[in-house]
Every structure is written in C-alpha cells, then in structure tokens.
Amino acid sequence: MTYGTRISGLGDYRPSTIISNEDMAKLVETSDEWIRTRVGIANRRKAGADETVVTMATAAGAKAIADAGIDPTEIDLVLVATCSLLATMPHAAPRVAVALGIPSPGAVDINAACAGFCYALSFAADAVRGGTARNVLVIGAEKLTDITNWEDRNTCILFGDGAGAALVSRSADGSEGIGPVVMGSAGELSEFITMNDKLQMVMEGQSVYRWATGVLPTVVREILDRTGIDAANLDALVLHQANLRIIDSVARSLHLPESVAIGRDIVESGNTSAASIPLALTTLRETGEVTSGDRMLLLGFGGGLSYAGQVITCP
Amino acid sequence: MTENEILAGLAEIINEVAGVPADQVAADKTFTDDLDIDSLSMVEVVVQAEERFGVKIPDEEVKNLKTVGDAVNFIKAGAAA
Ligand SMILES: CC(C)(COP(=O)(O)OP(=O)(O)OC[C@H]1O[C@@H](n2cnc3c(N)ncnc32)[C@H](O)[C@@H]1OP(=O)(O)O)[C@@H](O)C(=O)NCCC(=O)NCCS
C-alpha cells in the first residue's frame, strides 16, 4: 500500500531580538551599505539564552501542528534538521516531541547543514508514501549565533537564528503534494565551509558563491524535469537564504516569469541555515505572495557541500 | 574564435550579470573601476564565460584579470589550448 503526500501545515518561530546592520557595524568594521549590496540582509534575529534549538523547534512545530489541525498523537515521526546543536547528544527531536505531547514517535536529527530541511522533507515524504508513518513533523531549527565568530566580519554579518516547520501527511485522494527530490553533494569542496577548534563557522565565501551560482540553475532545471513541469508553471521559488545575490542570479538565469514569487526572507532574517526555507515559506504565505495550492520549488544548499530540493504544493 | 567574437560574448555576459550596456565593454576597460563590477558579479561573469567559451578560469587567475582585454586574451589562449 502506498499513499499520496501533502504538506498539511506550516509554522515558524522568530526570536524577538532584532540585530540591524547598524548594530553589526558597532561590532566589526562594516556598513549597512556593504551588507545590503553584497548580501541583501537588513536585519537578522538573535536568540536569547532561554531560546535554544529545542525550544525554537518546539514553538515552530506547535504552530505547524495547529495549522494542520492534526492531533499530535497521530504523528509517528519527528525529524529535526539542524547543524548548530552544540551538544549533539541528546539529539533535539525526542525532546521536541515530548514537549509537543507527541507520544513516543520515531525521532531523529538530520545534519546536512543548509540543505537539511529539504533532505528531511524528502525522507518524511518517503516515510508517509511507504506507510511507515501517518504524519511526520519536519523542523529546521538553528541557533547559528552560538557558532558564529563575532570577530570575523566575513561571516558574522550573515547569520541569524530561528526555526520553521512543516507537517507532512497523507493526501486524501492519493495526489502528490511533495514532488520527487533531487539531491547531491560535492565532498571534494567540503573545506569551503567548516568549523574551527572553537566550533565557529569558517567560510570561503567567494568559492561557495561560485559553486552555488554555477550549479544551482542546473539543479533547479533537473527538479522541474523530474516533477514534469516548466518554470512557467511555478508559483514560487524558495532557495536557501544564503545571499540575495545568489537568489537573484539563479532566478535570472532561469528566465522566470514575473508572476513567480521569490523567497527573500533573508532581508529580515539573515542566513538561518536549515531554518531558512521554512521561514521563507511562512513569510510568503503571510504576505499573501503564495496561497493554498501554489506550486513552490524549494532548494537547500550549503555546507558539505550538499544540496536537495523538490516542488511542493502550498497548504 | 576571434578576439572580437570573445569581446562581444563577454559584453553580453557582463550586460546580463551587471547591467552594464554592452557598448561600454571595451578591451581597455577595467572591471572594477570602469565597469563597476564587484567581486561577486565578477565571479558570475567568470562562471558564465567558462560555460560559454568552454575554458577553465581558476580562482587564482581571476584576480589577474584586471581589464576586459586581459579576460579576452586569457579566454583566447585557453580556447586554443
Ligand atoms: C560572504 C560573501 C557575501 C562575501 O562577499 P565577497 O565579495 O566574496 O567578499 P570578499 O571576501 O571578496 O571581500 C570583498 C571586499 O569586502 C571586504 N569585506 C568583507 N566583509 C566585509 C564586511 N562585512 N563589511 C565590509 N567589508 C567587507 C573585504 O575585506 C574585501 O575588501 P578588499 O576588496 O578591499 O580586499 C559572499 O562571498 C557570499 O555570499 N558567498 C556565498 C555564501 C554562501 O552561499 N554560503 C552558503 C553556506 S550557508
């Protein structure tokens, strides 16, 4: 027996503390103008001491469950995509599940850095499709400010905290609301994004930029191909929010029609790694740029290097 | 490929990536000061030039390409090799 899948709910959590570019300029030698023109960020959120990967994931998950209107007892699997849990054991997912009142589900963390959410979403869809789970809660949650080198202006201006979640459920009529995933990696380029011995991120920004702008348009075309639709049939493009210039470059090279909404949550949230795609999704929905039934192409990419993406239907 | 063909191709790429009018792209123009192309736009020009002209332009070579003419010569040599 196999089942169709759908995204039944979305949720997010954004820490209340906003760090502006002017605030950043007090920490390192930088300027609002440089950050806006090179990366497109205006503000990012910073989690406080009481806001952890687990609490943020829980808050985003609760909203997704409420949005779907599903009873937590019907959730069989919880997947948390994160790369910023400082103590990797105990992992986040079981703690998130218990906080949400989900009784003893399968609970796993997934680390594929900024690609984590789309990987987790594809595993969730497969689990529902194959009948392993009735509903799967997928969460991307990051407290990147814990692993940021606040003295390195090349990286510290980029990152923010937050969490976003999607509930994956069976579709009533066997239809597919989560398309085939395209995934891949380039481990030979893994030194481009690493962590130092203080567990702070270190990045060769320009090399990553080159890889991303070179490879992502091809990956997007492959996702469209496997899904069996044209770029013109898309309603939204939601890439990992690493740099607005990467997003605009990929959109340009695909010659997308004006009607396609583009996820630009980076402007207000910065780069939140595995959380950036679901955060961009809830923003697009709140602003009314996407509505129920819209087809949205998601593509996560980054550390590893690695990527994964698929087309989903907006709940 | 002649130098003029490479120059015309580069002008098209630079226009698409950075919005510089193609007729302003001449061999003696510097990418940074004359054409106002920043490091990230330069990366995109390089990525597209590699694809279009079938050459490899390594990272360490990019900083030696100060003028459009430098890029034309490098691509011409690379395409001939
Ligand atoms: C990070 C990134 C914005 C840096 O941009 P860049 O153009 O490559 O930056 P560079 O390091 O070449 O620096 C360009 C200049 O700006 C300066 N600079 C760097 N950071 C700066 C900052 N925060 N403020 C002001 N100036 C800065 C540099 O010192 C350099 O000056 P110089 O030309 O006088 O030497 C960009 O490389 C990027 O977005 N890369 C992709 C990142 C990504 O996708 N990550 C995904 C993983 S999550």
Side-chain angles (χ1 to χ4, degrees), chain A residues 37-39 192 205-207 209-211 213-214 243 245-246 249 252-253 255, chain B residues 16-18 38-41 43-44 46-48 50-51 56-59 62:
Chain A
T37 53
R38 292 291 170 125
V39 208
F192 288 174
Q206 234 170 73
S207 305
Y209 193 90
R210 182 174 181 157
W211 171 78
T213 52
N243 187 327
R245 300 267 299 262
I246 295 179
S249 166
R252 197 172 56 232
S253 69
H255 305 289
Chain B
E16 196 188 313
V17 168
D38 73 11
S39 49
L40 296 180
S41 292
V43 169
E44 286 182 59
V46 165
V47 167
Q48 291 205 24
E50 282 191 335
E51 201 170 301
K56 279 262 153 283
I57 311 175
D59 280 339
V62 176

Side-chain angles (χ1 to χ4, degrees), chain A residues 235-252:
Chain A
D235 299 298
L237 177 72
V238 186
L239 303 182
H240 166 51
Q241 308 283 298
N243 187 327
L244 199 56
R245 300 267 299 262
I246 295 179
I247 295 169
D248 288 339
S249 166
V250 172
R252 197 172 56 232

Side-chain angles (χ1 to χ4, degrees), chain A residues 28-31 34-35 38-39 114 153-154 157-159 193 203-209 212 240 242-243 246 271 273 301-303, chain B residues 39-40:
Chain A
V28 289
E29 203 181 316
T30 189
S31 66
W34 192 94
I35 300 173
R38 292 291 170 125
V39 208
C114 309
R153 70 172 183 172
N154 289 305
I157 52 123
L158 300 170
F159 301 111
I193 308 172
M203 183 168 75
E204 288 178 36
Q206 234 170 73
S207 305
V208 179
Y209 193 90
H240 166 51
N243 187 327
I246 295 179
N271 177 347
S273 193
F301 60 91
Chain B
S39 49
L40 296 180

Side-chain angles (χ1 to χ4, degrees), chain A:
Chain A
M1 180 85 197
T2 61
Y3 301 90
T5 63
R6 68 190 171 104
I7 306 250
S8 52
L10 294 172
D12 59 14
Y13 180 80
R14 299 166 197 269
S16 55
T17 304
I18 297 175
I19 311 273
S20 68
N21 290 345
E22 284 78 14
D23 297 330
M24 292 303 317
K26 287 173 205 147
L27 293 177
V28 289
E29 203 181 316
T30 189
S31 66
D32 179 52
E33 206 250 331
W34 192 94
I35 300 173
R36 278 179 197 266
T37 53
R38 292 291 170 125
V39 208
I41 295 172
N43 295 299
R44 71 286 286 144
R45 304 286 179 125
K46 189 174 188 302
D50 56 341
E51 292 168 308
T52 66
V53 167
V54 171
T55 66
M56 293 190 288
T58 303
K63 277 170 109 178
I65 295 169
D67 187 40
I70 278 171
D71 194 290
T73 58
E74 289 167 34
I75 296 171
D76 299 318
L77 178 61
V78 176
L79 301 176
V80 176
T82 185
C83 65
S84 53
L85 197 64
L86 288 181
T88 53
M89 199 172 62
H91 59 294
R95 294 185 276 160
V96 172
V98 81
L100 289 169
I102 305 172
S104 58
V108 188
D109 287 7
I110 287 169
N111 180 359
C114 309
F117 182 79
C118 290
Y119 272 102
L121 193 58
S122 87
F123 301 155
D126 285 345
V128 169
R129 224 169 260 137
T132 309
R134 292 166 296 171
N135 297 283
V136 183
L137 182 59
V138 180
I139 306 172
E142 301 282 11
K143 192 169 176 181
L144 294 182
T145 58
D146 270 352
I147 57 168
T148 295
N149 178 353
W150 293 97
E151 287 163 12
D152 175 15
R153 70 172 183 172
N154 289 305
T155 54
C156 72
I157 52 123
L158 300 170
F159 301 111
D161 302 329
L167 195 69
V168 176
S169 305
R170 288 175 186 164
S171 63
D173 54 2
S175 62
E176 271 303 343
I178 303 174
V181 68
V182 172
M183 55 191 174
S185 62
E188 66 280 11
L189 306 179
S190 59
E191 316 85 75
F192 288 174
I193 308 172
T194 54
M195 290 172 91
N196 64 18
D197 52 13
K198 291 184 195 141
L199 294 185
Q200 298 165 329
M201 287 179 283
V202 182
M203 183 168 75
E204 288 178 36
Q206 234 170 73
S207 305
V208 179
Y209 193 90
R210 182 174 181 157
W211 171 78
T213 52
V215 79
L216 296 181
T218 316
V219 178
V220 171
R221 283 188 207 99
E222 204 179 325
I223 296 170
L224 291 169
D225 259 13
R226 283 210 205 161
T227 312
I229 61 172
D230 289 331
N233 304 124
L234 277 182
D235 299 298
L237 177 72
V238 186
L239 303 182
H240 166 51
Q241 308 283 298
N243 187 327
L244 199 56
R245 300 267 299 262
I246 295 179
I247 295 169
D248 288 339
S249 166
V250 172
R252 197 172 56 232
S253 69
L254 293 166
H255 305 289
L256 292 178
E258 287 281 318
S259 59
V260 180
I262 305 221
R264 292 201 165 90
D265 191 49
I266 183 170
V267 179
E268 293 303 323
S269 302
N271 177 347
T272 57
S273 193
S276 86
I277 289 178
L279 283 172
L281 287 177
T282 57
T283 296
L284 282 172
R285 207 167 62 149
E286 268 154 34
T287 58
E289 288 168 273
V290 301
T291 50
S292 179
D294 279 359
R295 306 251 251 170
M296 316 189 278
L297 190 147
L298 319 183
L299 177 53
F301 60 91
L305 304 177
S306 59
Y307 58 86
Q310 63 273 90
V311 173
I312 64 163
T313 305
C314 184

Side-chain angles (χ1 to χ4, degrees), chain B residues 23-38:
Chain B
D23 59 10
Q24 282 184 25
V25 179
D28 61 338
K29 293 281 172 69
T30 60
F31 287 107
T32 319
D33 295 330
D34 296 336
L35 301 179
D36 206 18
I37 291 175
D38 73 11

